[in-house]
Amino acid sequence: MTSFRHETLGSKIDRSKVIKFEFDGRIVSGFEGDTIASALLANGVRLVGRSFKYHRPRGVWGMGSEEPNALVDVLIDGKSTPNLKATTIKAREGMVVRSVNVSPSAAKDRYRFMDLFNRFIPAGFYYKTFMALGWDRWEPMIRKMAGLGRIDANNQPPVDSPQINAECDVLVIGTGPAGLAAAKAAAEGGQKVWLIDEAQDLGGSLRWRGGTIDGKDWPEYAALSKEAVLKAGGKILLDTTLWGAFDQHMFAAWQRFTSSPDLHWRIRAKKTILAAGAIERPLWFANNDLPGVMSAEAAMHYLVCYGIVPGTDILIGTANDLTYPIAQAFGNAGVNVTLIDQRQSGPELQGVRHAYGVKLTSAEGHNGVTGATVDGEYVSTDAILVSGGYTPTVHLWCQSGGKLDWQPEIDGLVPRPGTSDMIVVGAANGTYALNAALKEGHAAGGGRGRAPKSVLKQNPAIEPVRPDPDLKGRQWIDMQNDVTLKDVSLAASEGFQSVEHLKRYTTLGMATDQGRTSNFAGLAAMSAITGKSIPETGTTTYRPPFQPVPLVTISGRRRGDLFNPLKRLVLEDAHRSEGARFREYGGWLRPSVYGVGDETTLAQEEAMIARSNVGIFDASPLGKLEVIGPKAGELLDFTGYVRMSTLKPGRARYGFMLAESGIVYDDGVVLRLDENRFIVSASSSHVDGVRWKLEDGRQDRLGGKGVYIHDMTSAWTTLTVTGPKASELIAGAGIELPALTHMSVSETKFEGRPLRIARISFTGDKSFELSVPSLHAENLRNRLSGALAQFGGKWIGLEAVMIMRAEKGYILIGKDTDGLTMPHDLGWAGPREKRTDEYIGKRSLFTPEGKSNTRKQLVGFETLDNNPLVTGSHLVPVDGDRRSLGYVTSSYFSNTLKRPIALGLLENGTGRIGQVIGCFNNGEIRMAKVIGPCALDPEGVRLNG
Amino acid sequence: MQAFTCPFCGHRDETEFHFVVEAGKPRPEPSEEVSDEKWAAYLHMGKAPKGEAREIWLHITCGLYFLMTRDTVTRDILSSECLLEASE
Ligand SMILES: [Zn+2]
């Protein structure tokens, strides 16, 4: 016989509403209010999963997030979630639940033979064996057998989990008696209290242990507390896991819903009260992992809340007073139950068989408990409920920096006052007596007057229980990760005695239950083996999350297209109608090429048309930082490498912005519109960075006076017309073109609205950048586009522009430069030699590094055959020792020049012009001749024509 | 995630801020008179104090560079000061 549903008990279930769901292919029937775990138990399902390493049969152990065994994959509403704890998930109609780490099901697992090999798989087995034999060969097989839940690759969870920031006066974590008292006291003092619990109802252990508070049944007190919290403007979040404590009293919480998306909260609290309770420890005996062995506290919870009776002949093993009310509850429910206590005496029990001074040494059975050995005698039983004491839940305390003290009376570690500014109350503080917990909560909430009262005044007696190394058989310490007492001994004998080493060597406490039920046992076992005390042995570090949180909850809406949203062009639709294909360039979604076919071929064709006739491209992402005011020139002189104060109004000048380290940060053209107005055309991906560098100079250097900076980048649209027929096309489009020489700018009108025309070039051909406020971009585009056919022109994408600028030797920062490139490496030594005033980066250009004669300099390459070099190829000497002298940064085939072109950074490159150099890629070395960077029209006839 | 205080906007989320530099490091000038060692120290040597730290931060959303004093251990924000004089 196994577990079943009691005829009447079950405060949380609604027997009028039947719920059916699927578990490992069979239909399970439960009631509204059931969790997956309680419904399975009600149906007599004891075998709910297989252990991680040995595929041992495992049943439900606990009642909440401490559950080590009952892990399931759940599919509902088209959403699949792996590795959920069956104890924490509500049973819902139609859900499909699958046990993890089994194939095909928990009962018929084909890897259960693994358990027969257990003595060949001690701790460290995988490290020792497969690393020596060649991990590569074994990994695929081991990976297949390892791991828990299965991820459904087709499942794309919706991007729907909102992230909400919130603040409160007092955050109370846990709604047991101490939490309720704290929340009530604080709320009555006028504080905005947030009360949070992992469970779906208020009450904590009161829900199954019951209790009277101030002479009334506890639910009345819970209702008063709730009312006080809501009245003071607070909030109650149930079914919510507070999973991490972070800096500045910030906490992260995951709130679960069934009919709407889960919420993720970031809560900042002025004061935090931790009332997280305590978790029961197992007892250690042979086969203590068999299905049917269960936490006594959890069993009482299932009995009272869900009416679950775990067996027909129940054995309870303990060494503490707290188990007695549990045995009594089962006795009162009319269940056949026997309590055995390792101690010589215990509290009163009425109508329950009990014995003192006897010890449980093993559980018997194959796929579940059928008997037990007690003091050497076999006894028949189908459920063993155990209690090895309690461990205060101090995770959040420790996460917030708090330290722990050993408290022998409760055989546990409790918060050391003053080491974190959280206040810990109730069982989390080792205070197990109801009356004392209420008093602590009341005081922590700043309660005035009399504290709420109950009857149990003394802390219950708890005798320490430890794993016994002399006991025969396997005693399981960590049930989820299959760590036995022998593994801990092995680790100790191999020198892994620090708890942090023990954890990593044996994987103890590293499973998804984070060792809630096993860490203390491992620590106690190590302490017993090494002869050190528990405080000397120490604990491992507590880190968030308190329990696994779905990544979709943490990422919230920052996924997919919203993970790092791209900037979009105003004319995107118009480009699409022209056949544009889009790619990301420096955070912008821009046309790469227009039309159908091979991208490289299209780009070369586009470049050819632009070279021979005319092309138009959308250059809107190019920075348009307006620098305005009488001190604008002074600011630009300081922040730039090339002086701009000497620029004449109506003229443009190419320059660089350096970091103080002397490294080229950005390049671009500065336009001077009039005496007090400049436009800095930062590279499209560096606009924000350049803006902050300018702003830094404005505020720090000029005290914020005499100049303002406006980023107008996306407010204006820029279309660049380039090619020998550029002027004709603009005129043909009906736009009056002012007389402009190369590197000049003019402000004019287009359809009565502002139009800025700059004659500057990024292609090496005569080019005009036409900029209009984005509202009028469509009109400008239509006019220009309409004239294209007449002049044999075409829209060209960024790929064509890339080829054209490389032909001309124009660099792209971050592609043709790296984190060591200084302006004189690019052939711009003038300002470094001539400027006597201060500018950012100046001093760094004269360090030994800046003056070195082995700097990598920008050069071009001519291949000796007709194939382009591979970008990234390392440049190596033709003779002698092979070492990298630099690398190829850009490489294309130029249809215009009918040969491959390339740029690169080469050690002392200028001095090597005319020499042949090796280009090393994937083991192959190709020869190329070093030339100047500019391969097309070095005299600038095309630019100035 | 922390929250910082902008002198202009008040209590705001950490993601809105950029760390700029430790405060109290005047730029050595003129360049011609600054030794390599002094310049390297200016560029690379930070105090990274444990405890009270005076730092320049940028509030990206409003564009203000300001002086923030904070405790690097407790994460307390001790003060935030505007560095600009009021315009006439
Ligand atoms: Zn601000």
Side-chain angles (χ1 to χ4, degrees), chain A residues 239-439:
Chain A
D239 211 351
T240 301
T241 301
L242 200 119
W243 63 263
F246 300 92
D247 288 333
Q248 291 183 332
H249 311 108
M250 203 207 71
F251 298 87
W254 164 37
Q255 186 176 18
R256 294 172 288 277
F257 293 93
T258 47
S259 52
S260 58
D262 290 357
L263 289 183
H264 191 243
W265 295 93
R266 282 189 286 263
I267 306 165
R268 288 176 201 282
K270 293 199 185 96
K271 175 173 167 179
T272 309
I273 299 171
L274 182 66
I279 293 168
E280 192 167 52
R281 292 175 201 154
L283 279 183
W284 300 280
F285 46 86
N287 303 324
N288 60 332
D289 66 329
L290 270 184
V293 178
M294 194 185 230
S295 149
E297 190 79 36
M300 183 178 187
H301 158 263
Y302 285 116
L303 177 72
V304 176
C305 299
Y306 304 99
I308 303 296
V309 181
T312 47
D313 191 1
I314 300 173
L315 184 67
I316 302 182
T318 187
N320 67 72
D321 292 356
L322 284 157
T323 315
Y324 281 69
I326 299 171
Q328 191 64 62
F330 278 101
N332 295 350
V335 182
N336 181 14
V337 58
T338 308
L339 179 138
I340 54 170
D341 195 329
Q342 300 187 16
R343 302 174 299 175
Q344 296 306 323
S345 66
E348 295 279 295
L349 273 176
Q350 316 233 307
V352 173
R353 276 195 309 273
H354 55 286
Y356 297 117
V358 286
K359 207 173 158 187
L360 183 58
T361 54
S362 77
E364 312 292 340
H366 281 294
N367 277 337
V369 172
T370 53
T373 309
V374 179
D375 270 3
E377 305 262 328
Y378 178 86
V379 296
S380 175
T381 174
D382 57 358
I384 302 176
L385 311 183
V386 294
S387 177
Y390 291 80
T391 301
T393 308
V394 294
H395 300 67
L396 291 165
W397 167 264
C398 293
Q399 282 182 25
S400 76
K403 303 277 182 286
L404 301 173
D405 276 334
W406 176 247
Q407 195 176 317
E409 307 86 69
I410 66 144
D411 188 39
L413 290 157
V414 296
R416 179 187 303 162
T419 52
S420 161
D421 51 12
M422 220 177 246
I423 306 172
V424 189
V425 294
N429 198 31
T431 306
Y432 298 143
L434 178 53
N435 203 51
L438 289 166
K439 198 172 158 187

Side-chain angles (χ1 to χ4, degrees), chain A residues 869-932:
Chain A
L869 296 170
V870 176
T871 303
S873 297
H874 274 269
L875 305 168
V876 295
V878 174
D879 322 294
D881 288 344
R882 187 189 299 168
R883 69 181 182 95
S884 175
L885 301 169
Y887 56 96
V888 176
T889 59
S890 290
S891 175
Y892 305 91
F893 188 85
S894 164
N895 268 4
T896 306
L897 296 166
K898 304 279 178 271
R899 66 167 176 86
I901 51 160
L903 299 173
L905 290 168
L906 173 62
E907 187 178 295
N908 186 26
T910 321
R912 294 180 200 261
I913 285 178
Q915 297 177 11
V916 171
I917 195 105
C919 302
F920 177 93
N921 178 56
N922 264 351
E924 185 201 0
I925 298 181
R926 292 172 54 195
M927 297 300 161
K929 196 172 129 193
V930 182
I931 57 173

Side-chain angles (χ1 to χ4, degrees), chain A residues 735-805:
Chain A
I735 299 165
E736 196 183 328
L737 193 62
L740 289 171
T741 54
H742 182 54
M743 299 305 273
S744 58
V745 60
S746 170
E747 287 181 292
T748 163
K749 295 273 181 196
F750 165 67
E751 296 181 352
R753 294 178 180 115
L755 167 68
R756 184 171 65 235
I757 304 180
R759 182 169 171 186
I760 47 187
S761 176
F762 189 46
T763 60
D765 264 305
K766 181 157 80 171
S767 301
F768 297 92
E769 289 180 356
L770 280 70
S771 301
V772 292
S774 289
L775 268 179
H776 315 301
E778 200 79 28
N779 291 2
L780 178 67
R781 187 211 85 94
N782 292 345
R783 286 264 206 114
L784 293 172
S785 207
L788 269 175
Q790 189 188 339
F791 299 96
K794 191 182 181 314
W795 282 96
I796 64 173
L798 259 282
E799 293 304 311
V801 176
M802 287 300 119
I803 297 172
M804 295 170 82
R805 63 93 203 167

Side-chain angles (χ1 to χ4, degrees), chain B residues 5-10 12 16-17 58-64 66:
Chain B
T5 309
C6 166
F8 188 67
C9 312
R12 305 292 302 169
E16 293 183 3
F17 295 85
L58 164 65
H59 189 209
I60 303 160
T61 45
C62 76
L64 189 70
F66 64 97

Side-chain angles (χ1 to χ4, degrees), chain A residues 11 31 83 123 128 133 197 217 294 296 365 475 479 492 613 700 713 729 772 808 827 851 925 940:
Chain A
S11 60
F31 296 124
N83 291 332
K128 288 170 184 161
L133 294 177
D197 204 296
D217 200 11
M294 194 185 230
Q475 296 176 61
M479 287 190 274
N613 294 331
D700 184 45
T713 306
L729 180 117
V772 292
K808 185 68 182 174
K851 290 190 283 194
I925 298 181

Side-chain angles (χ1 to χ4, degrees), chain A residues 139-302:
Chain A
E139 187 182 0
M141 185 194 95
I142 292 169
R143 287 261 179 250
K144 200 173 166 192
M145 287 173 64
L148 296 167
R150 277 161 290 183
I151 288 174
D152 176 0
N154 298 319
N155 177 45
Q156 292 290 328
V159 181
D160 61 1
S161 221
Q163 312 261 312
I164 307 177
N165 290 303
E167 296 191 350
C168 66
D169 296 329
V170 182
L171 177 66
V172 180
I173 305 157
T175 65
L180 288 174
K184 184 166 179 281
E188 284 170 357
Q191 307 277 297
K192 197 168 93 177
V193 177
W194 279 40
L195 184 56
I196 294 190
D197 204 296
E198 216 176 3
Q200 290 143 21
D201 306 282
L202 296 174
S205 61
L206 292 166
R207 289 177 294 147
W208 58 93
R209 284 187 171 262
T212 53
I213 298 170
D214 285 341
K216 291 176 199 130
D217 200 11
W218 73 270
E220 281 188 49
Y221 184 77
L224 289 176
S225 180
K226 179 179 176 181
E227 194 188 311
V229 167
L230 297 178
K231 202 175 146 194
K235 203 172 174 71
I236 296 175
L237 302 182
L238 297 173
D239 211 351
T240 301
T241 301
L242 200 119
W243 63 263
F246 300 92
D247 288 333
Q248 291 183 332
H249 311 108
M250 203 207 71
F251 298 87
W254 164 37
Q255 186 176 18
R256 294 172 288 277
F257 293 93
T258 47
S259 52
S260 58
D262 290 357
L263 289 183
H264 191 243
W265 295 93
R266 282 189 286 263
I267 306 165
R268 288 176 201 282
K270 293 199 185 96
K271 175 173 167 179
T272 309
I273 299 171
L274 182 66
I279 293 168
E280 192 167 52
R281 292 175 201 154
L283 279 183
W284 300 280
F285 46 86
N287 303 324
N288 60 332
D289 66 329
L290 270 184
V293 178
M294 194 185 230
S295 149
E297 190 79 36
M300 183 178 187
H301 158 263
Y302 285 116

